[in-house]
Amino acid sequence: MKILHTSDWHLGQTLHQYERGHEHARFLDWLLEQLEAEQVDALLIAGDLFDHTNPSAASQRQLYHFLAQARARLPQLAIVMIAGNHDSPGRIEAPGPLLSLFDASAIGAVGRPADGASDEDSAAQLDRLILPLKDRSGTVAAWCIAMPFLRPADLPRVATSETEALDSYQAGMAQLYRQAWQQVQARRQPGQAVIAMGHCHMRGGQVSEESERRLVIGGAEALPSALFDPGIAYVALGHLHLAQRVGGDPTRRYCGSPLPLSFAEVDYPHQVLLIELSGEAVTEVRELRIPRAVELLRLPRQPAPLEQVLKQLEALELPQRPEAEQPYLLVRVQLDQPEPGLRASIEAALAGKPVRLVRIETSHARSAELAEANHKPQVSVEELATLEPTDFFGRLYRHRFGAEPVPELLQAFDQLLVQAQEAR
């Protein structure tokens, strides 16, 4: 049996002001080709299908068009989707009756049993998370525990004794996965594998700070790998955009996002994972690299003075492409003083070049003494109360640039101050 693990599509995402529908369309076309070429039996999408809880009509069309094409090309393909922290649980589940026509299942929420609920009621709520996966002969060959992203309010309350070693969030997660494992054990037959799918942050996982939201305030979201019973053949994870193993285990994996969602992810190896099962065990996990439809460029690789940056930009040579395929560009400039015409200078150097300027990132050169002084209080609370706005502006300028502000800049600040006072 073959299972394809993917996650974190973030359909509808924009990179600053630029829509990325073209890149997602190219990825989905490529994914259809892989599904057909490998004759995959089940596709797992481990959360964050959309970038927003209220996705655009265009991004929803992309998803449902993909599902229709997948069904047409591979009538036997089962698709299991779970909600991630970017998704709306209700919106993911709403088209459930229509999704069933594509042999697709969408799990948006678990729903905590009411206090005092019977064991039968609790089991029924868990039962909807446990889905059979059939091989190409139509025989159930595996079971999937499809666990969506869980907020603290979604988790069962655990006895006080259980929270002594774990905080309440981790204890609730452990209990829920344990209950799901027990439930699937009661349903599966010998020789049938168990796959667990979740959208969560595992302990030790490498995070992309620019594009991954924190899941739980206080850092309690980092979960131990012991959360998953050793009897689970494979764990398909979503949330972290860098493809990585959990604890070095090749059967506990984040597949990563299919395209870089920020410049922090420029060097990520974007991929999907093809898992082959024989009986209850994984026999192979293959990484299928996703071709990048649009490049993300950082020039220069490290911040440099403006004059040097402008020379690099003027020398930049790129092939002509349609606008939707032109690279995104992050320009990194090191400044000694403010440059009011910075953007105009950079745009002039890029004039006529097939590239899309996304952002200008500035940093400031400081002496070693200033860098060390940065860790010391620049002004006491008592002094702060006595400073006039112009004095504070001067201190801030000297701290940032290591020099006195020029008279023209002070004059412009004074004019803004007067305008602000008159506007009160």
Side-chain angles (χ1 to χ4, degrees), residues 175-257:
Q175 179 167 312
L176 195 57
Y177 270 101
R178 184 167 59 248
Q179 290 172 339
W181 168 248
Q182 293 167 351
Q183 192 99 339
V184 78
Q185 286 290 84
R187 296 184 62 180
R188 72 165 175 158
Q189 300 296 317
Q192 295 175 343
V194 177
I195 307 296
M197 180 163 57
H199 191 91
C200 52
H201 181 184
M202 303 304 296
R203 191 172 296 163
Q206 186 173 333
V207 176
S208 172
E209 295 289 354
E210 287 188 24
S211 53
E212 292 167 3
R213 298 176 188 165
R214 292 191 67 82
L215 296 181
V216 180
I217 300 301
E221 73 271 20
L223 301 168
S225 57
L227 187 73
F228 304 107
D229 191 277
I232 295 174
Y234 182 84
V235 177
L237 295 168
H239 176 56
L240 300 185
H241 298 167
L242 174 64
Q244 55 195 291
R245 301 179 181 187
V246 175
D249 190 333
T251 66
R252 275 80 175 122
R253 307 274 284 254
Y254 288 98
C255 62
S257 59

Side-chain angles (χ1 to χ4, degrees), residues 20 23 31 40 96 104 109 119 125 137 139 142 166 190 207 230 241 244 258 286 303 319 346 369 373 387 394 397 415:
R20 307 190 74 185
E23 293 163 86
L31 183 59
V40 172
D119 291 342
Q125 284 192 294
S137 70
T139 303
L166 294 170
V207 176
H241 298 167
Q244 55 195 291
R286 276 195 283 145
I346 289 173
E369 292 80 14
L387 287 178
Y397 187 96
Q415 290 174 353

Side-chain angles (χ1 to χ4, degrees), residues 38-282:
E38 297 289 349
Q39 287 298 294
V40 172
D41 300 297
L43 171 65
L44 307 182
I45 312 172
D48 282 355
L49 284 88
F50 299 111
D51 196 55
H52 304 287
T53 55
N54 186 23
S56 67
S59 59
Q60 293 180 75
R61 279 196 300 271
Q62 266 194 326
L63 173 62
Y64 300 128
H65 180 65
F66 167 81
L67 295 177
Q69 286 188 304
R71 179 65 174 174
R73 293 196 192 188
L74 292 101
Q76 85 286 356
L77 179 70
I79 301 174
V80 182
M81 304 175 282
I82 58 173
N85 59 301
H86 281 251
D87 298 314
S88 163
R91 191 177 293 275
I92 290 293
E93 290 192 353
L98 292 176
L99 292 178
S100 65
L101 300 177
F102 301 124
D103 199 12
S105 303
I107 306 297
V110 173
R112 188 169 65 186
D115 292 339
S118 66
D119 291 342
E120 290 78 9
D121 290 338
S122 299
Q125 284 192 294
L126 280 174
D127 206 45
R128 62 189 292 271
L129 309 180
I130 299 168
L131 304 169
L133 301 177
K134 297 178 181 179
D135 60 21
R136 62 205 62 185
S137 70
T139 303
V140 175
W143 293 85
C144 178
I145 300 172
M147 194 74 71
F149 168 65
L150 299 169
R151 296 168 177 81
D154 300 325
L155 298 172
R157 296 187 179 93
V158 296
T160 305
S161 59
E162 290 190 53
T163 63
E164 292 175 358
L166 294 170
D167 80 330
S168 59
Y169 182 79
Q170 294 185 19
M173 289 286 287
Q175 179 167 312
L176 195 57
Y177 270 101
R178 184 167 59 248
Q179 290 172 339
W181 168 248
Q182 293 167 351
Q183 192 99 339
V184 78
Q185 286 290 84
R187 296 184 62 180
R188 72 165 175 158
Q189 300 296 317
Q192 295 175 343
V194 177
I195 307 296
M197 180 163 57
H199 191 91
C200 52
H201 181 184
M202 303 304 296
R203 191 172 296 163
Q206 186 173 333
V207 176
S208 172
E209 295 289 354
E210 287 188 24
S211 53
E212 292 167 3
R213 298 176 188 165
R214 292 191 67 82
L215 296 181
V216 180
I217 300 301
E221 73 271 20
L223 301 168
S225 57
L227 187 73
F228 304 107
D229 191 277
I232 295 174
Y234 182 84
V235 177
L237 295 168
H239 176 56
L240 300 185
H241 298 167
L242 174 64
Q244 55 195 291
R245 301 179 181 187
V246 175
D249 190 333
T251 66
R252 275 80 175 122
R253 307 274 284 254
Y254 288 98
C255 62
S257 59
L259 51 98
L261 299 169
S262 73
F263 281 91
E265 302 176 16
V266 167
D267 298 321
Y268 282 11
H270 297 280
Q271 62 186 31
V272 296
L273 297 170
L274 185 66
I275 302 96
E276 297 197 36
L277 298 171
S278 178
E280 299 182 15
V282 172

Side-chain angles (χ1 to χ4, degrees), residues 402-415:
E404 292 293 330
V406 295
E408 293 83 0
L409 190 61
L410 287 174
Q411 183 179 1
F413 180 80
D414 287 337
Q415 290 174 353

Side-chain angles (χ1 to χ4, degrees), residues 71 234 281 350 362 400 406 424:
R71 179 65 174 174
Y234 182 84
L350 292 171
T362 60
R400 179 164 295 181
V406 295
R424 288 180 180 178

Side-chain angles (χ1 to χ4, degrees), residues 388-408:
E388 293 294 328
T390 303
D391 297 326
F392 186 80
F393 175 76
R395 283 175 178 257
L396 179 62
Y397 187 96
R398 286 190 292 273
H399 169 68
R400 179 164 295 181
F401 298 104
E404 292 293 330
V406 295
E408 293 83 0

